[in-house]
Amino acid sequence: THWKKAEIHKPITRSESLKNIELGGKGGKIGQNEPSFKNVKARVDTHWKKAEIHKPITRSESLKNINTIGAAAVTAAALKQTNVAKTTATVKPKLVQVTKGAEIKKVKVVNLKREESRLTRRSLTKLKQIKKQSSSSSSSDAVSTTSSSGRSSEDEEFHLERHDTPDTHSHKLLEGIENIDINDAWNPMLVSEYVNDIYKYLNDLEETFAIRENFLDGHKQINHKMRTILIDWINEVHYQFKLEIDTYHMTVSIIDRYLQLVTDTPKKELQLVGVTAMFIASKYEELFPPEISDFAYITDDTYKKKQILEMERQIVRVLDFHLGKPLPTHFLRRFSKAAKAADKNHLVAKYLIELASIDYSTAHYKPSEIAAAALYISLYLFPVAASGSGAAVAEPKVWSKTLEHYTHYTVEQLTPVVQRLAKLVKNAPTVKVQAVYSKYQSSKFEKISTQPELHGTSLDALVEGKLVQ
């Protein structure tokens, strides 16, 4: 019988032990007959019980308690602290000076310690101030009595500073500058608390990835005329594919940055660089980018899919995968908001920016400069209607302090850029590349390029550099 399994004694849990004890006490089988359970007493462990957690008192709860209970709550708290500390010292009144604007009030408060009440010193002072203001007229008599008796050496003076609500562009509002984000706090998509930091970062990026003047001088096979023809063709393709305007401007940015770094680009690969740059920009900006076969098709199958993919790898390696250079349209949206520009002003500025993207002489300007200069010309030629009376404004202020603050440019700094853009607009109907001019002749863009203001004497004044504030 050695093969039989030995009887296994299962460990007895505490609940089973208690059950057996109860059975033994009621005359069950287990009890006095079992020596192991003869003098067993139920073990009750209390160490596992959770300690009582004292929830900290918040300011709103304290205000609620003071409004409902009144002075009795503060007195009870003071008595409780006195009993715990086992001291017989009486509670001394403290004179607190509260500063609110230009008015200074002195109130009598009870000396409560911050560490005992679990509130900050400033919160306690505010609570006591509210309590005294809501109390009866006897409070004012106590103030006069306390002030006449003088202060003890142990009394301290606390000053309550009233802080304004932090605004979105400075903790201290600048004189004459409007906070354009003050009504955007309700919309989290507008990130009004961080928008100025974001644009400061974009200003730093445009300095990092700047295009130098005459960046094609080192090329042996490519000149500025070839670039102009390529960008004009890119604009037509972008319009046919119905892509976003940011996709077009990002394509131009990638082309210029690549050609600035790769000076041995052959002439036969220039169109391949342009198509691949648009392929990359589409994947970056578009929700539904075109297929790679579409980009091969628009080149009349001059380049295969494999060649486009190889050029894509080469471009991103040359740019070190830094594709996030800010675009002129990014800044234009912000500047138009600061100027409270109308839709027509914004559309005219977009037209000027597209003209500048094709012109080689403006390629070295920063995107923020192009956007600010385009908006200046738009506001100069199409002034924003004045609100209030119906009388027309003879000489409207084109560039306000608010615009100078948010664009970081004065009229003097924008003068050379404005002059160059004004020349482009004036010569737009007669130049050989007509993609942008023809596109803005359509009713979809309100026929902006044919507006008489863009070809009148006002534009001639800008060409000559006669800018107004």
Side-chain angles (χ1 to χ4, degrees):
T1 60
H2 64 277
W3 55 271
K4 292 184 178 180
K5 295 182 179 179
E7 184 177 359
I8 301 174
H9 295 280
K10 184 178 180 181
I12 301 175
T13 61
R14 183 174 64 182
S15 60
E16 293 176 350
S17 301
L18 294 175
K19 183 177 181 182
N20 294 334
I21 291 171
E22 292 176 359
L23 291 175
K26 293 180 181 181
K29 294 181 180 181
I30 301 177
Q32 297 179 358
N33 298 331
E34 287 290 340
S36 59
F37 295 97
K38 192 171 185 179
N39 296 317
V40 174
K41 292 183 179 181
R43 186 183 65 178
V44 181
D45 294 335
T46 58
H47 66 276
W48 54 272
K49 292 184 179 180
K50 295 182 179 179
E52 185 179 357
I53 301 174
H54 297 279
K55 185 178 180 181
I57 301 173
T58 61
R59 182 172 63 179
S60 59
E61 293 174 349
S62 302
L63 292 173
K64 184 178 180 181
N65 294 334
I66 287 177
N67 292 332
T68 56
I69 299 175
V74 179
T75 308
L79 292 176
K80 184 177 179 181
Q81 293 172 4
T82 307
N83 295 333
V84 172
K86 295 181 180 180
T87 59
T88 58
T90 59
V91 179
K92 296 181 179 180
K94 179 181 292 186
L95 192 64
V96 178
Q97 180 174 346
V98 180
T99 303
K100 183 176 181 181
E103 183 181 0
I104 298 179
K105 296 182 179 180
K106 297 181 179 180
V107 296
K108 179 182 178 182
V109 297
V110 180
N111 186 12
L112 297 180
K113 295 183 179 180
R114 180 181 59 180
E115 58 272 12
E116 293 176 353
S117 63
R118 296 187 180 183
L119 293 174
T120 61
R121 184 172 62 186
R122 179 169 294 178
S123 300
L124 280 175
T125 308
K126 288 182 178 179
L127 295 179
K128 295 164 187 175
Q129 179 188 6
I130 295 173
K131 170 185 172 297
K132 289 300 179 181
Q133 289 178 352
S134 61
S135 61
S136 60
S137 60
S138 61
S139 171
S140 60
D141 299 334
V143 172
S144 59
T145 304
T146 308
S147 57
S148 61
S149 60
R151 296 185 183 180
S152 63
S153 60
E154 298 176 355
D155 288 341
E156 297 177 359
E157 182 177 306
F158 303 137
H159 296 275
L160 260 179
E161 297 180 2
R162 183 180 179 182
H163 295 283
D164 293 330
T165 304
D167 57 89
T168 53
H169 65 84
S170 175
H171 288 285
K172 184 178 181 182
L173 288 175
L174 301 175
E175 183 179 0
I177 296 175
E178 181 183 358
N179 184 3
I180 64 175
D181 305 304
I182 194 170
N183 296 323
D184 296 339
W186 65 272
N187 190 350
M189 297 297 292
L190 298 178
V191 289
S192 60
E193 294 183 1
Y194 311 106
V195 63
N196 288 286
D197 294 329
I198 291 173
Y199 274 92
K200 183 180 182 303
Y201 174 67
L202 293 180
N203 287 326
D204 296 338
L205 282 184
E206 66 177 355
E207 293 284 353
T208 304
F209 304 120
I211 301 295
R212 65 176 181 272
E213 191 173 2
N214 301 322
F215 64 94
L216 293 178
D217 287 350
H219 286 263
K220 297 180 180 179
Q221 300 185 28
I222 299 176
N223 54 38
H224 65 91
K225 294 182 180 179
M226 297 179 184
R227 177 197 175 273
T228 302
I229 295 173
L230 174 66
I231 301 301
D232 186 72
W233 177 76
I234 290 290
N235 193 284
E236 290 182 357
V237 174
H238 150 268
Y239 187 59
Q240 291 176 1
F241 279 177
K242 298 180 179 180
L243 302 178
E244 297 291 337
I245 189 63
D246 289 349
T247 304
Y248 165 73
H249 286 293
M250 185 176 182
T251 302
V252 177
S253 175
I254 292 175
I255 293 173
D256 289 345
R257 291 173 60 195
Y258 177 80
L259 294 178
Q260 179 177 244
L261 297 174
V262 183
T263 57
D264 58 347
T265 304
K267 178 181 178 180
K268 62 180 181 180
E269 291 185 358
L270 182 60
Q271 189 180 14
L272 177 61
V273 172
V275 170
T276 308
M278 181 173 284
F279 178 56
I280 296 172
S282 299
K283 293 193 291 184
Y284 192 95
E285 294 285 353
E286 298 292 333
L287 185 61
F288 301 104
E291 299 287 341
I292 188 174
S293 57
D294 297 330
F295 291 99
Y297 174 77
I298 61 174
T299 63
D300 199 14
D301 292 327
T302 304
Y303 307 104
K304 306 300 180 184
K305 297 180 183 178
K306 184 178 179 181
Q307 292 176 286
I308 296 177
L309 292 176
E310 289 177 355
M311 180 56 70
E312 181 186 20
R313 287 193 294 268
Q314 183 176 347
I315 289 177
V316 295
R317 279 198 301 265
V318 169
L319 300 183
D320 197 19
F321 291 86
H322 292 148
L323 305 176
K325 179 184 177 180
L327 308 175
T329 49
H330 294 163
F331 294 101
L332 178 62
R333 297 182 184 106
R334 181 68 171 170
F335 299 165
S336 296
K337 182 179 180 180
K340 296 182 180 179
D343 293 340
K344 189 172 186 178
N345 296 112
H346 189 75
L347 190 59
V348 171
K350 287 173 62 178
Y351 169 59
L352 298 176
I353 289 174
E354 287 194 46
L355 287 178
S357 66
I358 297 179
D359 186 63
Y360 175 69
S361 63
T362 60
H364 66 281
Y365 289 126
K366 293 186 294 185
S368 59
E369 288 181 320
I370 296 292
L375 183 62
Y376 178 89
I377 296 176
S378 176
L379 295 174
Y380 179 80
L381 298 178
F382 303 93
V384 179
S387 59
S389 60
V393 180
E395 294 184 359
K397 188 174 180 60
V398 179
W399 211 247
S400 62
K401 290 184 178 180
T402 301
L403 276 173
E404 286 186 7
H405 173 75
Y406 286 102
T407 62
H408 307 293
Y409 296 113
T410 61
V411 176
E412 290 76 13
Q413 293 173 325
L414 293 177
T415 299
V417 191
V418 170
Q419 284 184 272
R420 184 57 196 167
L421 289 184
K423 291 179 183 178
L424 290 178
V425 176
K426 185 177 181 179
N427 299 329
T430 59
V431 295
K432 294 182 179 180
V433 287
Q434 291 284 311
V436 176
Y437 182 79
S438 301
K439 181 172 73 173
Y440 280 88
Q441 279 182 326
S442 65
S443 57
K444 178 182 178 181
F445 297 99
E446 301 181 12
K447 299 181 179 181
I448 286 296
S449 60
T450 59
Q451 294 291 321
E453 289 84 355
L454 297 178
H455 311 285
T457 56
S458 299
L459 189 66
D460 294 336
L462 296 180
V463 173
E464 297 173 0
K466 298 178 181 179
L467 277 67
V468 296
Q469 293 292 332

